[in-house]
Amino acid sequence: RYWNIIPSAKSENKIREKLREFLRHSGHFNPIQVANGLNTILRGWLNYFDIPKISYPAMSKREIRYYLVESLYRYYNRKSQRRSRLYGTQAFELLVCKYRLIDPTKYKVGSKLWMFAMKNTGKPYAGKLHVRIDEGERRIEVYLPRLALLYR
């Protein structure tokens, strides 16, 4: 019924704008902080648009990857007059290898075996532990008074 579900040009421009704003306001961050900040932006976008066996975001992923390669190269070459470790190098490749930056072309939704999600749940069960096991989705949810842990 749905053919060629791909991210629109508008959504691609929005992710580029978010990446640009993050890099613009993170001039003093070390590479770990840069990788973590970019990962939160990228992971959200990729999880939203990558629906297995339904959507086809491969072209968009390549364009986002190309944008990251170029912008991170410019970011580290322009950072200051003192040269950083990533100056004049393939900054994207080093961030992917050493600092675990997400490579959009290789990222797959649900590729991790486990994930912890922390959120404020209030007091749903008056401080008692609650466990729900969902075999259909291979998912275990553990609810604590102020913390929800999600194990896949």
Side-chain angles (χ1 to χ4, degrees):
R1 188 189 299 188
Y2 302 102
W3 297 93
N4 281 341
I5 297 177
I6 57 173
S8 66
K10 184 177 178 181
S11 65
E12 289 179 20
N13 288 336
K14 280 185 180 180
I15 186 74
R16 281 191 206 105
E17 181 62 32
K18 284 183 183 179
L19 294 171
R20 184 180 310 117
E21 285 300 313
F22 176 79
L23 289 176
R24 190 195 257 150
H25 295 296
S26 63
H28 60 284
F29 288 179
N30 62 24
I32 295 170
Q33 292 172 324
V34 170
N36 289 339
L38 290 175
N39 280 346
T40 57
I41 297 169
L42 289 171
R43 192 179 297 117
W45 190 84
L46 291 168
N47 285 340
Y48 184 80
F49 284 106
D50 195 2
I51 306 166
K53 299 183 181 179
I54 294 176
S55 65
Y56 304 101
M59 276 296 277
S60 298
K61 286 180 177 183
R62 281 194 296 270
E63 290 173 5
I64 296 298
R65 184 184 191 279
Y66 177 76
Y67 178 78
L68 275 173
V69 168
E70 294 297 315
S71 60
L72 285 171
Y73 180 79
R74 286 192 311 268
Y75 172 76
Y76 279 107
N77 284 348
R78 208 175 31 206
K79 193 162 176 163
S80 76
Q81 291 178 355
R82 297 167 112 197
R83 293 185 176 184
S84 68
R85 289 182 192 159
L86 299 173
Y87 176 84
T89 61
Q90 299 295 324
F92 177 78
E93 310 299 336
L94 286 173
L95 285 172
V96 168
C97 294
K98 277 181 101 173
Y99 302 105
R100 297 184 181 207
L101 177 67
I102 292 174
D103 185 351
T105 57
K106 296 178 183 173
Y107 183 79
K108 292 183 181 177
V109 177
S111 61
K112 291 185 179 181
L113 295 176
W114 58 272
M115 174 182 76
F116 291 106
M118 297 182 62
K119 60 183 177 180
N120 186 354
T121 60
K123 294 184 180 180
Y125 298 103
K128 296 180 182 176
L129 179 68
H130 174 73
V131 177
R132 189 179 115 208
I133 300 172
D134 188 1
E135 290 294 325
E137 296 182 14
R138 291 176 37 197
R139 180 176 170 151
I140 300 172
E141 294 181 9
V142 179
Y143 287 98
L144 299 171
R146 299 296 248 167
L147 173 72
L149 297 175
L150 176 65
Y151 181 78
R152 287 185 183 203

